[in-house]
């Protein structure tokens, strides 16, 4: 057995943590690569490839701002969902046969 410093991270635990992020990054890279290949194969060059480059650059520019908005929305969303969850719990307690999928209020969750 190797001597490892206290609190160090093993390769296995790191890969368990990093695998989903790595998969996401590789998936995005493949998707953008395929989109670029498709844009390069369209007739009307160089206009189509230039248009693709402008749209892709715009997307990369606004992505960090949209990510911040997404994180902020996810932070403030649970208090708005809590009344719906309480309603479902109360209805289930009052009526054991209650089915949330048939309730318009509960289905908007």
């Amino acid at each position: 057995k190797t001597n490892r410093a206290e609190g160090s991270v093993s390769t296995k635990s790191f890969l368990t943590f990093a695998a989903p992020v790595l998969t996401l990054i590789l998936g995005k890279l493949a998707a953008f690569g395929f989109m670029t290949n498709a844009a390069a194969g369209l007739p009307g060059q160089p206009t189509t490839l230039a248009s693709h480059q402008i749209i892709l650059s715009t997307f990369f520019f606004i992505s960090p701002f949209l990510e911040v908005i997404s994180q902020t929305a996810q932070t403030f969303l649970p208090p708005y969902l809590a009344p719906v969850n309480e309603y479902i719990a109360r209805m289930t307690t009052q009526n054991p046969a209650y089915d949330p999928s048939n309730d318009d209020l509960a289905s908007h969750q």
Side-chain angles (χ1 to χ4, degrees):
K1 187 173 181 177
T2 60
N3 292 334
R4 222 181 310 157
E6 186 68 28
S8 66
V9 178
S10 70
T11 304
K12 183 179 179 183
S13 66
F14 175 74
L15 288 178
T16 302
F17 168 76
V21 175
L22 183 62
T23 304
L24 178 69
I25 290 171
L26 291 176
K28 283 183 177 182
L29 184 64
F32 293 139
F34 286 129
M35 285 188 282
T36 302
N37 188 26
L42 291 173
Q45 295 301 331
T47 307
T48 54
L49 200 54
S51 301
H52 168 71
Q53 181 64 39
I54 290 169
I55 291 170
L56 196 61
S57 296
T58 305
F59 172 74
F60 287 146
F61 177 75
I62 65 172
S63 286
F65 304 109
L66 296 178
E67 180 64 26
V68 169
I69 293 170
S70 171
Q71 292 294 326
T72 304
Q74 289 178 35
T75 300
F76 292 111
L77 192 59
Y80 292 106
L81 289 180
V84 175
N85 292 335
E86 291 168 3
Y87 169 79
I88 293 171
R90 186 175 66 244
M91 292 302 291
T92 306
T93 316
Q94 292 175 356
N95 182 6
Y98 170 72
D99 183 13
S101 62
N102 294 330
D103 189 346
D104 287 337
L105 179 64
S107 64
H108 286 56
Q109 181 179 2

